[in-house]
């Protein structure tokens, strides 16, 4: 056996031994000092941080906006998950088992490593963490998320209209659905809440049958309707709306939680006959169900491919909002799931397009219809509602997600977008293919009966900051040499960022096509504009910054400071043609790296 002495003599002897001992002691002391200072720092910074925990969370930047100021929230889903290899027993059982205190105050729930494995296995069922949801009481508490100016507004409850809250669902988890319902019951004044209508869009899960009926029967003013066959959310919402007895229809997704004071600002505004009013949508984390504030000012719009997007509002809207944060502000489009509207206005404007199936596009259709037919779409920051954003759709899309979505998009575009429908179809041939299959006669009639305005009017007046091509905007490719085009590198993390050339595609390739406005903005899809940054051109959310102005002087693009857009870091020694060269504004020279060819492409 090796004794200690032998061990030491093996590695060192005499003076060396002393040095090694000293080094070990020194390392030990250093380590100890490190721990003490970390602890000290923690306790001091904890003391400094007196605000409640949720105030330190401004918004979950990564899951809401990116560097350019926008992000996919309601995207085009990967649908069709059946729940993997889960057994029928697992899929159909309700495992709601609240743990005292879990998630109270909107706090996150953390799972043990073992539970995390189970949560992971169950994830595909709902595309959010069902284990966490089942641990949180269905009547959990939430903080007051309103800004100070909102808390000071006084409403005369006797004068406000009453609400019918409509919640449609398909295969929703029991606990999230019930938490949505309970949050409405607990945080709505009795005088204002006429009824809650749940519409089951032909769910298959066993726990959503008698078990749900029994739970609902115990609640006052709540009723449940069952759609005999699955129509999708439009059909289900129409079913609910037809049975509504309240003055105002308030729609919510089935995985929401409303916070204190949510209903009054909605009803106050929805009382008037010309507005669709949306709450400020906060985030319920799909992993921990923590309630997190979303960015203060956002408005809804859409990309060239008609994907719904959140954008930073125009500077005039932001200015007005700062002057009076409690006042509702206009938005070009709504996200779709959470809004209030006077029942009479909803029906006067044609309810919903019944031809839209399952999911998607009805939010844009409703927004365009509202604006073009004399109403408005607004957001009030004083009504705060949390919603679980999901990255994937957990349910099936009969015929596939693309087919469903494309036919809905075709309906919306054909009825409302005029020339811009042609733009959409030109660059989305798979949608163009099914364009003529849509029976939209009655929706076109509705548009003319209501005497609705054009899409051109909408773009000009409701969304003047839009990034679509128009008659007076140049559209096409801007090329250096044969292969390098100005464009947004596809798949750039978080969109935007440093600008480099992309490979010039064909005439249908939106990635290398740009809008060039008479004012000098170079716009790509997704509302990104080319901006001269510090030593490097970048793609940024379009704004009125002078750094986004590029003046065409012959074959050159000049900034307001008189610099020229230049391709840099070109490796002349390389014989093969490459792309991906950085762009920046530099002193104008005769160099070909500043020579651009403008190739116009018809946009429709
Ligand atoms: O076949 C279906 N039948 C249904 O009843 C498919 C869905 N549904 C229900 C579903 O259970 C849910 O309650 O419809 C509701 C909406 O479906 P989600 O939650 O899958 O949609 P989403 O939140 O991802 O998508 C947004 O865009 C949709 C486009 O059709 C709808 O307008 C959603 O209501 C809308 N959600 C929001 O606006 C919430 C805020 C998200 C943001 C931003
Ligand atoms: Mn939703």
């Amino acid at each position: 056996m090796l004794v200690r002495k032998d061990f030491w003599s093996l590695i060192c002897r005499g003076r060396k031994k002393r040095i090694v001992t000293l080094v070990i002691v020194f390392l030990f002391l250093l380590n100890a000092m490190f721990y003490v200072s970390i602890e000290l720092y923690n306790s001091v910074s904890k003391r400094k941080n007196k605000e409640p925990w949720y105030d330190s969370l401004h918004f979950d930047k990564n899951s809401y906006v990116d560097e350019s100021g926008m992000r996919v929230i309601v995207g085009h889903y990967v649908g069709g998950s059946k729940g993997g290899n889960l057994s029928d027993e697992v899929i159909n059982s309700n495992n709601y088992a609240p743990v005292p205190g879990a998630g109270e105050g909107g706090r996150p729930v953390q799972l043990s490593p073992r539970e995390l494995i189970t949560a992971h296995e169950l994830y595909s069922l709902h595309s959010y963490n069902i284990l966490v949801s089942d641990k949180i009481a269905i009547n959990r508490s939430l903080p007051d998320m309103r800004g100070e100016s909102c808390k000071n507004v006084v409403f005369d409850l006797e004068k406000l209209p009453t609400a019918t809250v409509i919640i449609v669902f398909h295969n929703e988890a029991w606990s999230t659905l019930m938490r949505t319902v309970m949050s409405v019951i607990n945080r709505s004044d009795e005088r204002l809440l006429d009824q809650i209508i749940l519409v089951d869009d032909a769910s298959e899960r066993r726990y959503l049958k008698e078990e749900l009926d029994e739970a609902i029967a115990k609640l006052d003013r709540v009723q449940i309707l069952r759609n005999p066959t699955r129509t999708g959310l439009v059909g289900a919402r129409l079913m609910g709306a037809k049975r509504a007895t309240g003055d105002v229809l308030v729609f919510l997704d089935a995985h929401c939680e409303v916070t204190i004071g949510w209903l009054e600002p909605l009803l106050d505004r929805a009382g008037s006959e010309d507005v669709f009013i949306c709450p400020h949508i906060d985030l319920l984390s799909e992993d921990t169900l923590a309630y997190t504030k979303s960015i203060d000012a956002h408005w809804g719009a859409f990309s060239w491919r008609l994907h719904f997007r959140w954008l930073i509002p125009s500077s005039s809207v932001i200015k007005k909002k700062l002057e009076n944060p409690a006042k509702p502000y206009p938005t070009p489009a709504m996200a779709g799931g959470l809004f209030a509207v006077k029942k009479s206005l909803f029906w006067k404007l044609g309810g919903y397009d019944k031809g839209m199936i399952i999911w998607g596009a009805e939010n844009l259709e409703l927004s365009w219809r509202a604006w073009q037919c004399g109403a408005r779409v607004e957001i009030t920051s004083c009504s705060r509602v949390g919603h679980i954003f999901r990255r994937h759709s957990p349910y099936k899309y009969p015929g596939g997600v693309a087919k469903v979505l494309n036919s809905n998009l075709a309906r919306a575009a054909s009825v409302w977008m005029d020339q811009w429908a042609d733009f959409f179809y030109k660059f989305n041939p798979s949608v163009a293919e099914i364009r003529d299959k849509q029976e939209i006669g009655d929706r076109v009639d509705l548009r003319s009966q209501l005497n609705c305005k054009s899409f051109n009017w909408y773009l000009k007046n409701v969304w003047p900051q839009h990034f679509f091509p128009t008659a007076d905007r140049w559209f096409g490719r801007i090329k250096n040499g044969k292969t390098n085009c100005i464009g947004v590198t596809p798949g750039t993390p978080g969109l935007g960022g440093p600008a480099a050339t992309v490979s010039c595609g064909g005439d249908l390739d939106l990635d290398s096509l740009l809008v060039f406005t008479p004012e000098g903005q170079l716009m790509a899809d997704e509302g990104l504009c080319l901006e001269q940054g510090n030593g490097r051109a970048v793609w940024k959310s379009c704004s009125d910054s002078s750094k986004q102005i590029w003046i065409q002087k012959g074959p050159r693009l000049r900034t307001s400071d008189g610099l020229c857009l230049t391709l840099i870091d070109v490796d002349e020694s390389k014989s093969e043609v490459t792309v991906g060269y950085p762009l920046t504004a530099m002193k104008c020279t005769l160099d070909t790296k500043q020579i651009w060819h403008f190739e116009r492409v018809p946009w429709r």
Side-chain angles (χ1 to χ4, degrees):
M1 229 175 70
L2 201 68
V3 286
R4 236 177 112 206
K5 207 173 144 218
D6 301 330
F7 172 74
W8 277 115
S9 58
L10 261 180
I11 48 168
C12 45
R13 293 191 188 86
R15 217 173 68 191
K16 257 193 188 162
K17 179 173 160 183
R18 253 171 283 145
I19 292 174
V20 171
T21 320
L22 268 174
V23 167
I24 290 175
V25 169
F26 176 70
L27 283 178
F28 176 78
L29 281 174
L30 202 73
N31 214 3
M33 265 164 65
F34 179 68
Y35 274 111
V36 168
S37 49
I38 288 271
E39 276 307 305
L40 215 72
Y41 170 79
N42 273 348
S43 61
V44 170
S45 64
K46 254 182 219 150
R47 235 179 291 142
K48 255 202 256 162
N49 199 352
K50 278 206 207 82
E51 14 158 32
W53 71 275
Y54 50 84
D55 273 355
S56 58
L57 292 168
H58 294 293
F59 54 89
D60 178 356
K61 198 162 179 286
N62 293 326
S63 72
Y64 209 68
V65 281
D66 58 35
E67 287 156 48
S68 70
M70 46 188 225
R71 144 122 201 180
V72 190
I73 285 182
V74 185
H76 284 198
Y77 275 146
V78 185
S81 166
K82 291 172 206 73
N85 296 324
L86 300 170
S87 69
D88 272 4
E89 186 51 36
V90 170
I91 293 172
N92 287 296
S93 56
N94 167 19
N95 295 312
Y96 172 61
V99 174
E104 287 302 328
R107 284 182 184 75
V109 174
Q110 308 295 356
L111 297 177
S112 69
R114 188 189 290 255
E115 286 171 321
L116 275 174
I117 297 172
T118 316
H120 192 78
E121 284 166 4
L122 298 176
Y123 211 82
S124 60
L125 271 178
H126 303 285
S127 293
Y128 51 74
N129 196 331
I130 180 61
L131 227 63
V132 161
S133 179
D134 284 346
K135 280 176 187 281
I136 302 176
I138 54 174
N139 59 359
R140 76 151 152 181
S141 58
L142 287 179
D144 185 345
M145 303 308 292
R146 299 169 299 172
E148 287 310 316
S149 55
C150 295
K151 292 180 193 164
N152 297 333
V153 183
V154 188
F155 297 96
D156 182 352
L157 298 192
E158 304 300 330
K159 293 214 173 94
L160 289 180
T162 59
T164 290
V165 176
I166 299 171
I167 302 166
V168 306
F169 63 93
H170 176 76
N171 287 348
E172 192 68 48
W174 193 91
S175 51
T176 35
L177 174 63
M178 285 304 288
R179 202 172 300 111
T180 309
V181 175
M182 293 312 295
S183 78
V184 171
I185 293 177
N186 292 337
R187 301 196 185 95
S188 310
D189 192 284
E190 284 196 357
R191 284 163 287 181
L192 302 178
L193 185 64
D194 184 70
Q195 53 175 175
I196 300 177
I197 301 181
L198 299 180
V199 187
D200 171 13
D201 188 20
S203 298
E204 294 134 348
R205 306 276 154 88
R206 207 185 313 125
Y207 60 80
L208 292 171
K209 316 264 175 202
E210 289 85 47
E211 200 172 336
L212 182 64
D213 282 338
E214 279 163 27
I216 294 301
K218 294 192 189 112
L219 301 172
D220 193 23
R221 299 167 217 224
V222 189
Q223 54 176 294
I224 180 160
L225 307 177
R226 308 273 185 180
N227 204 356
T229 51
R230 182 163 172 219
T231 56
L233 64 95
V234 160
R237 282 184 194 163
L238 284 170
M239 189 174 182
K242 280 183 199 141
R243 293 277 285 270
T245 52
D247 307 317
V248 169
L249 309 175
V250 182
F251 294 96
L252 291 178
D253 275 6
H255 32 258
C256 290
E257 287 176 62
V258 304
T259 67
I260 186 162
W262 78 292
L263 192 54
E264 290 83 347
L266 293 177
L267 294 181
D268 184 46
R269 192 71 190 95
S272 74
E273 188 76 33
D274 67 342
V275 67
F276 289 75
I277 177 86
C278 309
H280 176 112
I281 307 170
D282 283 319
L283 313 164
L284 290 172
S285 158
E286 72 212 281
D287 286 324
T288 65
L289 253 68
Y291 193 110
T292 312
K293 275 186 203 170
S294 65
I295 188 169
D296 261 342
H298 54 254
W299 71 2
F302 43 90
S303 69
W304 288 350
R305 294 167 172 96
L306 301 185
H307 296 205
F308 178 85
R309 292 290 187 259
W310 290 115
L311 303 178
I312 301 288
S314 70
S315 43
S316 69
V317 165
I318 291 189
K319 201 169 145 248
K320 278 199 199 120
K321 224 183 149 283
L322 284 175
E323 282 162 15
N324 189 355
K327 197 168 177 257
Y329 59 97
T331 175
M334 65 161 88
L338 288 57
F339 68 94
V341 59
K342 203 165 178 186
K343 191 171 59 185
S344 49
L345 176 65
F346 180 75
W347 291 121
K348 189 176 99 189
L349 289 190
Y352 266 123
D353 175 0
K354 282 196 297 294
M356 289 196 169
I357 47 169
I358 308 299
W359 184 96
E362 95 296 338
N363 51 337
L364 297 183
E365 192 272 344
L366 185 62
S367 308
W368 298 333
R369 179 153 47 91
W371 280 113
Q372 287 173 240
C373 308
R376 304 166 57 78
V377 184
E378 294 181 350
I379 298 173
T380 168
S381 312
C382 293
S383 172
R384 315 283 299 216
V385 181
H387 167 262
I388 309 181
F389 292 90
R390 303 187 273 200
R391 278 167 231 280
H392 301 280
S393 202
Y395 37 74
K396 288 179 227 160
Y397 286 73
V401 65
K403 199 174 152 215
V404 166
L405 193 60
N406 286 348
S407 85
N408 292 345
L409 282 171
R411 299 182 71 86
S414 290
V415 177
W416 299 103
M417 290 184 83
D418 305 329
Q419 300 95 293
W420 287 270
D422 300 331
F423 168 64
F424 176 63
Y425 289 129
K426 173 168 179 179
F427 294 97
N428 295 277
S430 56
V431 193
E433 249 172 53
I434 54 162
R435 173 183 199 168
D436 296 333
K437 290 206 186 101
Q438 310 304 321
E439 285 172 22
I440 48 168
D442 54 343
R443 300 309 283 183
V444 174
D445 291 348
L446 175 79
R447 180 174 165 172
S448 69
Q449 276 157 28
L450 291 172
N451 223 338
C452 305
K453 298 193 185 79
S454 68
F455 202 72
N456 189 37
W457 174 90
Y458 168 83
L459 289 177
K460 271 217 170 87
N461 295 280
V462 180
W463 191 21
Q465 305 76 9
H466 75 87
F467 44 88
F468 279 69
T470 60
D472 60 357
R473 288 175 168 185
W474 185 92
F475 186 74
R477 260 183 308 266
I478 306 182
K479 263 182 164 176
N480 187 289
K482 287 203 174 63
T483 46
N484 279 278
C485 272
I486 304 177
V488 182
T489 312
T492 320
L495 295 167
T501 54
V502 298
S503 122
C504 304
D507 273 5
L508 290 187
D509 193 353
L510 285 176
D511 287 334
S512 54
L513 290 169
L514 297 176
V515 162
F516 192 15
T517 70
E519 296 77 31
Q521 277 179 306
L522 282 171
M523 301 171 156
D525 191 8
E526 307 287 356
L528 292 173
C529 279
L530 191 68
E531 177 172 312
Q532 178 56 23
N534 273 342
R536 178 85 191 256
V538 290
W539 289 107
K540 270 251 173 104
S541 192
C542 296
S543 68
D544 41 24
S545 162
S546 63
K547 290 184 194 154
Q548 294 189 354
I549 302 296
W550 304 89
I551 307 297
Q552 189 195 350
K553 280 267 153 66
R556 292 185 176 74
L557 281 165
R558 297 242 298 245
T559 64
S560 44
D561 308 334
L563 301 176
C564 282
L565 185 68
T566 315
L567 211 82
I568 54 172
D569 298 347
V570 180
D571 185 354
E572 315 267 6
S573 66
K574 270 194 188 159
S575 54
E576 81 268 35
V577 226
T578 41
V579 294
Y581 298 119
L583 292 164
T584 192
M586 294 200 333
K587 194 164 169 276
C588 301
T589 62
L590 292 175
D591 198 322
T592 54
K593 295 184 204 78
Q594 295 185 349
I595 303 294
W596 300 97
H597 304 279
F598 294 78
E599 270 181 24
R600 189 187 278 275
V601 172
W603 59 270
R604 62 193 189 95

